[in-house]
């Protein structure tokens, strides 16, 4: 079972109790230099920016393979993220991992793709898969339940109900523009999802 990061624990405690500890303030204060550096690196244009980001994120993320392309404005949250060889992450993608997120070899994420790997619900996108612009992939979401709120992460933990499950997108798949993939789904080998599809259940190879 994956343990939440210290940052996540501090923020959830603050939301649930309404109080920030001195240790919490100190933790975020000490991260300011890193946040400023990463903010600058994120928007360096052109090939030089791609090269600098590749070397920087090799130090930060779990894995960055050879010839990985990380374009301008890509935002990472969490360290347990793997980008395998020749992966291409286009402009303004958001990759958040509270468990494990793996992007396989020669996977392409189009402009503005959002991937959220929730706690204990990892996401794997296997080799040679294409994810078109503005797709969203969530392995954890709030879900309706009696006497619970749908207000998202700023609600207290006791007030919301979440639904989670791993997502595995097998090799050679393609997701068209604007697809939404929800928790606990396996998309089989070489599957093609048309634009604006909502994937709520397993798809056969």
């Amino acid at each position: 079972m994956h343990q939440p990061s210290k940052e996540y624990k501090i923020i959830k405690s603050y939301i649930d109790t309404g109080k920030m500890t001195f240790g919490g303030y100190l933790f975020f204060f000490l991260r300011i230099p890193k946040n400023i550096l990463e903010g600058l690196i994120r928007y360096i244009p052109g090939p030089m920016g791609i090269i600098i980001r590749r070397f920087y994120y090799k130090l930060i993320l779990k894995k960055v393979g050879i010839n990985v392309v990380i374009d301008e404005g890509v935002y990472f949250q969490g360290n347990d993220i793997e980008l395998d060889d020749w992966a291409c992450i286009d402009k303004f993608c958001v990759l958040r991992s509270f468990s494990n997120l793996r992007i396989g070899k020669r996977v392409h994420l189009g402009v503005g793709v959002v991937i959220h790997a929730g706690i204990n619900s990892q996401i794997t996108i296997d080799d040679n898969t294409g994810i078109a612009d503005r797709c969203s992939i969530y392995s954890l979401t709030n879900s309706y339940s009696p006497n619970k709120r749908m207000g998202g992460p700023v609600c207290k933990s006791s007030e919301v109900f979440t639904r989670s499950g791993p997502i595995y997108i097998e090799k050679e798949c393609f997701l068209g523009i604007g697809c939404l993939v929800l928790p606990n789904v396996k998309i089989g080998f070489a599957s093609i999802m048309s634009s604006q599809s909502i994937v709520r259940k397993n798809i056969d190879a």
Side-chain angles (χ1 to χ4, degrees):
M1 183 174 289
H2 191 274
Q3 292 298 316
S5 67
K6 186 174 182 179
E7 178 182 5
Y8 177 87
K9 291 179 180 178
I10 292 170
I11 292 173
K12 287 303 292 183
S13 175
Y14 176 57
I15 291 169
D16 289 342
T17 65
K19 298 177 181 179
M20 177 67 78
T21 64
F22 175 77
Y25 281 117
L26 181 63
F27 175 81
F28 289 113
F29 178 78
L30 293 175
R31 288 169 61 93
I32 290 174
K34 175 182 177 294
N35 293 338
I36 293 173
L37 175 63
E38 192 163 321
L40 294 172
I41 289 173
R42 189 176 294 139
Y43 292 100
I44 298 173
M48 187 54 65
I50 290 171
I51 293 169
I52 291 171
R53 281 186 288 274
R54 183 185 300 151
F55 281 104
Y56 173 74
Y57 285 113
K58 278 181 181 287
L59 303 174
I60 302 300
L61 303 180
K62 185 174 181 179
K63 178 181 179 180
V64 175
I66 63 170
N67 295 319
V68 167
V69 174
I70 302 171
D71 215 329
E72 296 169 48
V74 175
Y75 176 79
F76 295 99
Q77 183 178 5
N79 299 333
D80 201 357
I81 297 173
E82 301 176 51
L83 308 177
D84 215 331
D85 301 344
W86 293 91
C88 180
I89 316 300
D90 234 324
K91 287 181 170 63
F92 309 119
C93 289
V94 177
L95 281 68
R96 297 182 295 202
S97 178
F98 298 94
S99 52
N100 176 257
L101 169 56
R102 179 182 177 271
I103 307 297
K105 292 181 173 67
R106 299 185 186 272
V107 168
H108 175 228
L109 303 184
V111 174
V113 169
V114 177
I115 303 177
H116 179 96
I119 294 174
N120 299 319
S121 49
Q122 69 273 11
I123 294 176
T124 300
I125 301 175
D126 219 331
D127 302 346
N128 300 304
T129 285
I131 310 293
D133 297 355
R134 303 193 308 279
C135 287
S136 300
I137 302 172
Y138 291 91
S139 67
L140 184 145
T141 66
N142 278 7
S143 187
Y144 173 77
S145 184
N147 302 314
K148 299 290 185 180
R149 293 190 166 94
M150 293 286 288
V154 293
C155 291
K156 294 181 179 181
S157 301
S158 60
E159 296 177 351
V160 296
F161 175 75
T162 57
R163 184 164 63 91
S164 64
I167 293 173
Y168 181 31
I169 302 175
E170 292 193 349
K171 297 178 180 179
E172 309 285 348
C173 291
F174 179 76
L175 273 62
I177 292 172
C179 286
L180 171 62
V181 181
L182 294 173
N184 202 30
V185 160
K186 179 180 178 181
I187 298 178
F189 174 79
S191 296
I192 298 174
M193 305 291 103
S194 61
S195 298
Q196 309 295 331
S197 295
I198 300 176
V199 184
R200 300 179 179 177
K201 60 183 181 180
N202 293 344
I203 304 294
D204 292 335

